Amino acid sequence: MAKEMTLVSVGIDVGTTTTQLVISKLTLVNVMPGSQVPKVEISHKSITYMGDVHFTPFEDRQHVDGLALRDIVAKEYEKAGVKPEQIDTGAIIITGETAKKENASEIIHSLADYAGDFVVATAGPDLESVIAGKGSGAEALSKRLHACIANIDIGGGTTNIAYFDRGKCIGTACINVGGRLFEVDPMTHRLTYISSPAQKVMDHYYANSYQAQSGDELSMIQTCLRSMVECVERVILHEPLLDQDRLLVMTNLLPDVKIDGVVFSGGVAKYIYLPGIKEWWIHEDVGPLLAKAFMESRIHSSFAIHEGSETIHATVLGAGAHTVNVSGSTITVSKHTLPLRNLPAVYPESTARGMLSWLKSAENYTDSLYHTMALIVPRLPNTDFLTILSLAETLSRELPLIMGEPKVIVAQQDIAKVLGQTLQRLLPLIPIVCLDGIELAFGDFLDIAKPLPDQDAVPVIVKTLVFAR
Amino acid sequence: MSLEDSVRLIVEELLKGMEKEKNQSSSGASLLTVPSTMDECEITDLAEIDLQRYLQVPNPVNKSLYEEMKLSTPARIGVWRSGPRPLTDTLLRFRADHAVAQDSVLGEVPEDFPAKYNMVSLQTLCQSKDEYLTRPDLGRKLNDENLEILKRGCPKGAMVQIIVSDGLSSKAVEANIPNLLPALTQGLEGMGVKLGTTIFVRHGRVAVMDTIGEELKPEVAVILIGERPGLGTAESMSAYMGYNPRLGMVESERTVISNIHKGGTPAAEAGAHLASLIKKILDVKASGVKLE
């Protein structure tokens, strides 16, 4: 069963400033010897097509131009020589300031439908941080160095931070600091646009001077950028935040641990790794100036700076190649039940008699928005048949009372096949999807693709990570 | 004094001396044994220690990395040392694990085990463990008496014939069968497969499946058999499956799933996996390399 399988995966990143698309090929292979129960892993990821960097199209400051965006994707597909039907998996992520636009959600979901059968739409600053850190190579670096590495992805609208401790993400933060919060006319060097977070910082420092000369503007911008970078510093160094910082910090779930090094990614990172630019207004924004402020910061002087494998493409690569997991190979899937999208992970409660119960937690998701939900089976003290049988009996009583079909169960131990078969015996008429090999945390959502050819394993995308504070 | 008298005297003296010595030594021994039995209560069983979580290096420079390395492999790494030799507990644990492996090879599955699971119990031509180990050929054959028990106890022509055998690890049978067998039968019956009466074979080799297959003519036979134990685990079990099992079938016609134990594929999950694999063999009507 050493046959290789490939999946074509697309990653689309609709950011504050730019929109990018990559197509990658994921090679999956059974890594176990022929005489053992198979285990499918992603053995290789290769980029088959790297699209151009486009400016994200807007109708106005509050609306993303959906048609133009679809046009960009269609043209890139054409250039890559793929059709939406050929795309097996992937993710569209809407990031930074763009995620705040009024029609962001609507646009991205229609784009996901167009982009391919199993392309998921995702947003959320925490997930963006994780994806960027995977795409930049910070995750792999932390694993290789057995160290805790912070990935700092500086985009047009936000700076996304993720800590990776020996290959595992342990926390994220998102700060409203980016290279395109100010826009500048390259000829006159006058400010043409100040975004609302930047305006707040500006107001803090220059409450009374709305009329400034062009020479002053540069120093005003630099003051604001320095203040913004100092805010990032305080977040990373776990120092108390100042009043003006609170305007910028969107989420901060970073644990108070010592980091061993830093990787920069995002569009601005290019100017950190390749300093010496003379033309500050090359992009009509303050990206290069922001890079300069980061280089003069305590982040740059206190930590070892590593170079990742990607800067501006980090997020799109992460979305395209690093979002897919593969389930265990011994699972139970009733026919014609997959794919499934947007299943909330539902954790059980322990009842007085030491049994597990999902009924109460499931009530939180009775909203018709969710087609069905994924019931999590936490690690059991042992995997004896009798333990599994008693678990299956509990589930068979509760499953008919929980809305949605098929019934999806995700075990955190290698028991999905025996549990699934037991449930099929107890509930012969109810379609069941019983998986393992996927680590889930409270607050996660997951998408499950069709089973791989010749294997029982299924690709799974886990979204919206939340970290314990 | 006659020679006889002097000999008697000498013998008496000797006996007295021995008695005295015996008293002394027993009192000495009791002096030693009393505190040692007290100590024994506090000595933990070395074999109970989870080696992968046992950090022997004092004051490691990078404890978390050390832990991670230990957890990544069941091999005996990071065991520290005393001069150029291993620590006493490392050496003792090594020998203890070796002893467990030996016990598992040489031990017997309890007499009442087959009856507990409603199995028909057979024994190959091997009369002892020694013979079993030195004569692999005999472990594949049954005598007339056992063939008669087989014929009387088991229906012919079942879709799937399950066979359990001690093989090289009696512990594997005791540890895995209670969880594997119910999962396997549940899985197969759930898919509408008719099972024969399960057979237990003492002192069996994999190819005893051929002898039984020749007699009962099931569509598929599966033998769950103890693997040669190693220092990591003595409870590992394999499942060999053959379509149309018969005398003279070749090894490449067998499909195998190995490493069924707590640290590998857990027994219950393995049973469920075997059920669907056997279903595939039934559907394709082939096993081993022909199944690929």
Side-chain angles (χ1 to χ4, degrees), chain A residues 56-77:
Chain A
T56 301
F58 293 101
E59 283 174 5
D60 53 52
R61 291 283 177 195
Q62 293 312 321
H63 294 87
V64 183
D65 186 343
L67 282 177
L69 201 55
R70 178 183 284 223
D71 214 37
I72 290 173
V73 173
K75 284 218 175 85
E76 290 289 355
Y77 272 14

Side-chain angles (χ1 to χ4, degrees), chain A residues 154-210:
Chain A
I154 313 159
T158 55
T159 292
N160 289 79
I161 305 165
Y163 282 7
F164 291 92
D165 186 19
R166 285 166 290 161
K168 206 172 168 193
C169 185
I170 55 168
T172 61
C174 180
I175 304 166
N176 232 179
V177 172
R180 215 169 175 81
L181 296 179
F182 297 93
E183 288 174 31
V184 179
D185 186 312
M187 305 306 289
T188 63
H189 298 182
R190 295 299 303 253
L191 275 168
T192 53
Y193 171 69
I194 303 182
S195 69
S196 103
Q199 186 67 56
K200 286 180 199 158
V201 176
M202 190 71 107
D203 291 347
H204 179 82
Y205 284 98
Y206 302 99
N208 300 315
S209 54
Y210 289 97

Side-chain angles (χ1 to χ4, degrees), chain A residues 1 34-38 146 166 330-331 383-386 388-389 414-419 421-422 425 436, chain B residues 64-65 68 178-179 182-183 186-187 191 256-259 264-266 268-269 272-273 275-277 280 292:
Chain A
M1 281 191 224
S35 68
Q36 291 189 24
V37 174
H146 291 278
R166 285 166 290 161
T330 50
I331 56 173
T383 55
D384 290 351
F385 186 74
L386 284 178
I388 289 161
L389 188 62
D414 189 6
I415 55 167
K417 191 139 202 160
V418 63
L419 179 61
Q421 285 182 356
T422 312
R425 177 169 63 80
D436 57 28
Chain B
S64 62
L65 178 57
E68 197 182 315
N179 293 310
Q186 166 185 279
M191 291 181 256
V256 61
I257 291 294
S258 66
N259 261 33
T265 301
E269 185 74 347
H273 176 64
S276 38
L277 195 54
K280 191 174 159 195
E292 301 294 308

